[in-house]
Amino acid sequence: MLPTCPSVQHVTLLCSPPFPVQRGGHQPPVPLCHAPVLELHSEGRSSVSLQFFPRWLAPNLITFSGFLLLVFNFFMMAYFDPDFYASTPGHEHVPSWVWIVAGLLNFTAYTLDGVDGKQARRTNSSTPLGELFDHGLDSWACIYFVVTVYSIFGRGETGVSVMVLYVLLWVVLFSFILSHWEKYNTGILFLPWGYDLSQVTISGVYLVTAVVGVEAWYKPAFYTVLYRDLFTSMIVGCALTVTLPMSLYNVYKGYRNNTLKHTTLYEFMLPLLSPVLLFILSTLWVFASPSQILEVHPRLFYFMVGTTFANITCQLIVCQMSNTRCQPLSWLLIPLTLVVLVVVSGLAPDTEALLLAVLTALVTIAHLHYGVTVVNQLSKHFNIYPFSLKKPNVD
């Protein structure tokens, strides 16, 4: 049986109603970590969309359905553009209808992500399980929508290199976990990274691509600035000018007001240890790879990194919910470390792709196992069904 985070055993004991109170002392209508997220979504759009959902529909089912749409987009684009060359000149491009489907599904997923919390309040069914579903699936969704967007520009002279996309992926991942690091220390989650604007823009770009074709993105947006340059600049700029400063400022306010949950520097920075090690190990693999693994299998490498990151983030979310100490290291870093050592030492130069495939399968299975285990434990503890508002019969 795959190992689980020790905090899983604690979450059913500690993550119980009433939910944590805000600093003002008022009981929030939803879990504390939900409220700031709801503020990021367009209230008008969410309220109108909510009218189409029956009251018997479980919020977690809405959340999971939206996530599956992003997964479908990812694998659909992987079929038509497996190596990210489809958008480059001289290659067979992705059909227009695929971009239309991708745009509609992405916007639908974004809409569903905006109404799940409202549906929970509407049906009086807010639980920590909803928090885990919402933010846990969001952490895994990072890899799906970032890599899918990459197919718009692709690689080559007119696109973005796989190394640049790798860096951009890490910018998105660190932006995501930075907010949860903030909540781990302050007790309040704030996501300042322009989720609404990014998702609406992505959906619109998909639909525009279906009409004008990928060739339109070869031309400069203005003067000599290419659209690909705007794409990279917006991601990095948003992280450096909005996400990072806002998180540091909120943590500083907690320090100034003496409300931080952790006072020592080690405990304060503990949630970032595993993500940083993941970045170091995966980057070392990229530069030391004898077969140029990122160039040959970029999609699989991105998926391995994103899934490992999602598992680390989910464990942090569980620790937040249960008010338990974050684990210093994720056990998934052990097989990654072994693979990197084998690659760097040159012991298996001809089996590097196989090692990546096996590691990706292991990470994916472990993450799914972890998610199912936590969901089952929380559902049993709160006497609820994860995808239904009906209560289980108590014998």
Side-chain angles (χ1 to χ4, degrees):
M1 187 172 183
L2 294 173
T4 57
C5 174
S7 58
V8 174
Q9 278 69 35
H10 296 128
V11 69
T12 56
L13 298 176
L14 300 178
C15 192
S16 303
F19 297 118
V21 294
Q22 300 182 22
R23 290 174 181 169
H26 301 292
Q27 185 71 19
V30 293
L32 184 58
C33 52
H34 272 187
V37 178
L38 291 173
E39 293 173 2
L40 291 177
H41 297 283
S42 171
E43 292 296 327
R45 173 186 58 83
S46 298
S47 299
V48 172
S49 302
L50 192 63
Q51 298 176 6
F52 296 96
F53 294 96
R55 289 184 176 273
W56 53 260
L57 187 61
N60 291 336
L61 187 58
I62 297 176
T63 305
F64 192 58
S65 298
F67 171 75
L68 290 180
L69 295 181
L70 295 178
V71 175
F72 179 84
N73 266 357
F74 175 86
F75 285 103
M76 176 180 67
M77 205 61 69
Y79 176 80
F80 289 99
D81 185 22
D83 52 7
F84 304 109
Y85 277 115
S87 293
T88 58
H91 289 75
E92 182 179 357
H93 296 329
V94 174
S96 296
W97 67 265
V98 174
W99 295 116
I100 295 176
V101 171
L104 294 177
L105 293 186
N106 191 84
F107 187 80
T108 302
Y110 157 64
T111 302
L112 294 178
D113 191 43
V115 302
D116 53 1
K118 287 182 175 292
Q119 178 75 348
R121 290 188 293 176
R122 180 191 185 197
T123 57
N124 194 28
S125 57
S126 297
T127 66
L129 179 58
E131 175 184 352
L132 179 65
F133 253 85
D134 192 357
H135 305 310
L137 291 179
D138 282 347
S139 68
W140 206 6
C142 290
I143 178 64
Y144 292 113
F145 79 78
V146 170
V147 175
T148 303
V149 170
Y150 184 33
S151 290
I152 295 176
F153 302 98
R155 56 206 290 194
E157 295 182 359
T158 60
V160 179
S161 71
V162 291
M163 186 62 197
V164 170
L165 196 279
Y166 173 76
V167 173
L168 294 179
L169 174 62
W170 268 110
V171 170
V172 173
L173 296 181
F174 272 121
S175 296
F176 186 91
I177 203 168
L178 195 62
S179 295
H180 289 278
W181 165 77
E182 176 188 335
K183 186 193 175 185
Y184 180 79
N185 286 288
T186 66
I188 296 178
L189 176 64
F190 179 73
L191 299 177
W193 54 302
Y195 175 81
D196 286 301
L197 179 60
S198 65
Q199 292 304 307
V200 172
T201 301
I202 289 172
S203 301
V205 169
Y206 284 148
L207 297 177
V208 170
T209 303
V211 177
V212 302
V214 295
E215 295 84 358
W217 308 119
Y218 301 163
K219 305 174 183 178
F222 53 88
Y223 297 107
T224 58
V225 179
L226 299 176
Y227 285 102
R228 67 181 184 188
D229 300 326
L230 286 179
F231 170 70
T232 56
S233 299
M234 288 176 61
I235 294 178
V236 176
C238 183
L240 295 180
T241 62
V242 180
T243 304
L244 179 60
M246 185 60 68
S247 291
L248 293 179
Y249 175 70
N250 290 335
V251 171
Y252 170 73
K253 285 196 303 182
Y255 170 77
R256 184 183 59 191
N257 298 330
N258 198 28
T259 56
L260 291 179
K261 299 170 65 176
H262 306 281
T263 55
T264 65
L265 181 62
Y266 176 74
E267 295 295 334
F268 181 77
M269 301 297 295
L270 195 58
L272 299 180
L273 181 58
S274 286
V276 169
L277 288 178
L278 173 61
F279 170 75
I280 293 174
L281 289 170
S282 59
T283 303
L284 178 61
W285 187 353
V286 169
F287 284 103
S289 171
S291 64
Q292 299 296 308
I293 193 69
L294 187 62
E295 292 287 339
V296 179
H297 299 287
R299 188 178 294 272
L300 191 61
F301 196 89
Y302 295 148
F303 185 82
M304 181 274 296
V305 170
T307 303
T308 307
F309 170 86
N311 185 263
I312 293 172
T313 305
C314 284
Q315 294 191 31
L316 175 58
I317 294 172
V318 169
C319 292
Q320 292 172 356
M321 296 191 313
S322 57
N323 289 320
T324 55
R325 182 175 182 267
C326 178
Q327 298 301 305
L329 295 175
S330 167
W331 76 270
L332 289 181
L333 296 177
I334 297 177
L336 175 59
T337 302
L338 294 177
V339 170
V340 172
L341 288 177
V342 171
V343 170
V344 172
S345 62
L347 295 178
D350 299 327
T351 60
E352 189 175 3
L354 177 61
L355 290 174
L356 174 60
V358 172
L359 178 62
T360 303
L362 172 64
V363 167
T364 304
I365 294 173
H367 185 49
L368 291 173
H369 173 268
Y370 180 84
V372 171
T373 300
V374 176
V375 168
N376 286 338
Q377 289 188 11
L378 285 174
S379 299
K380 182 178 180 180
H381 176 72
F382 291 109
N383 192 34
I384 59 176
Y385 291 120
F387 297 116
S388 175
L389 294 180
K390 295 181 179 179
K391 292 292 184 180
N393 294 327
V394 180
D395 298 330

